[in-house]
Amino acid sequence: MISDVLVDEINEQIKFEMYSAYMYLAMSAWCAERNLSGFAHWMTMQAQEEVDHAMRFFNFLLERGGRVELQAIDAPPVDYGSPVAVMEKSLEHEKFVSSRIHHLYKLAVEEGDYPAQVMLQWFVSEQVEEEASIDEIVERMKMFGSDGAALLMVDTQLAARTPGAEEQA
Ligand code: FEO
């Protein structure tokens, strides 16, 4: 039986994942308003991936007999300043999510909950990937500078993002 403390923390995590989806949607809108359609596309795909993350936690709670208690989701910021600031904000947020996942994993170990540890291992790896891919975009943007041609090049690269395996499932 899953412990009450893990049930509560996983319910919290569903909220954080849904907030992530909300935040990436807000970023997508900000980019679309500035005709950065590649950035907007990338953010929309990221938002979909975040809903998938929330659903993994949601389904895990149900499978384990834990009570799902959905919580209110905060409103994300509307303004992001600049394209590089959008990506830096994404990276900062993913680092926060990684710290949440590590916290959950630590709890699962303390509680001796092996199924939770196995489920969370996927998220530990996923966060490494997410941070690395966003960090690469941020670094590329800093290296190329913020002139129109450089921005257009990154925008074209981001437009090529295809759904990950979990989104195609
Ligand atoms: Fe669900 Fe981007 O972490």
Side-chain angles (χ1 to χ4, degrees):
M1 186 71 186
I2 188 166
S3 69
D4 289 346
V5 63
L6 263 175
V7 169
D8 288 348
E9 290 288 336
I10 290 175
N11 272 308
E12 273 280 294
Q13 192 63 27
I14 293 172
K15 178 188 74 179
F16 286 126
E17 299 292 347
M18 292 303 284
Y19 174 79
S20 302
Y22 231 36
M23 184 195 76
Y24 283 118
L25 271 185
M27 290 175 167
S28 177
W30 188 90
C31 294
E33 282 162 14
R34 283 149 189 86
N35 295 316
L36 294 166
S37 56
F39 279 84
H41 166 76
W42 191 95
M43 293 294 173
T44 302
M45 299 225 95
Q46 189 68 23
Q48 283 167 353
E49 210 170 282
E50 299 299 351
V51 174
D52 289 338
H53 293 173
M55 290 309 297
R56 278 182 183 248
F57 284 113
F58 177 92
N59 289 327
F60 181 78
L61 268 190
L62 291 179
E63 280 168 8
R64 298 291 307 285
R67 184 169 186 195
V68 172
E69 287 187 58
L70 297 179
Q71 301 170 15
I73 305 166
D74 289 341
V78 175
D79 288 316
Y80 293 92
S82 69
V84 72
V86 174
M87 282 300 174
E88 282 174 334
K89 180 85 185 157
S90 305
L91 184 57
E92 178 192 318
H93 181 72
E94 290 303 338
K95 285 181 177 171
F96 165 72
V97 174
S98 296
S99 72
R100 280 286 314 169
I101 297 294
H102 297 163
H103 169 66
L104 283 171
Y105 193 90
K106 188 166 175 275
L107 262 182
V109 170
E110 284 167 6
E111 299 287 321
D113 192 321
Y114 300 114
Q117 288 171 42
V118 171
M119 182 272 292
L120 286 162
Q121 274 165 11
W122 183 88
F123 279 99
V124 171
S125 305
E126 173 72 2
Q127 284 308 122
V128 171
E129 251 177 56
E130 293 220 330
E131 282 190 36
S133 72
I134 298 171
D135 187 52
E136 189 183 313
I137 297 166
V138 169
E139 289 308 315
R140 215 179 279 168
M141 291 177 82
K142 284 181 177 167
M143 191 169 70
F144 295 155
S146 55
D147 68 61
L151 196 58
L152 192 64
M153 190 173 77
V154 177
D155 194 61
T156 304
Q157 286 171 346
L158 297 184
R161 179 174 178 176
T162 54
E166 63 191 301
E167 292 154 74
Q168 289 168 334

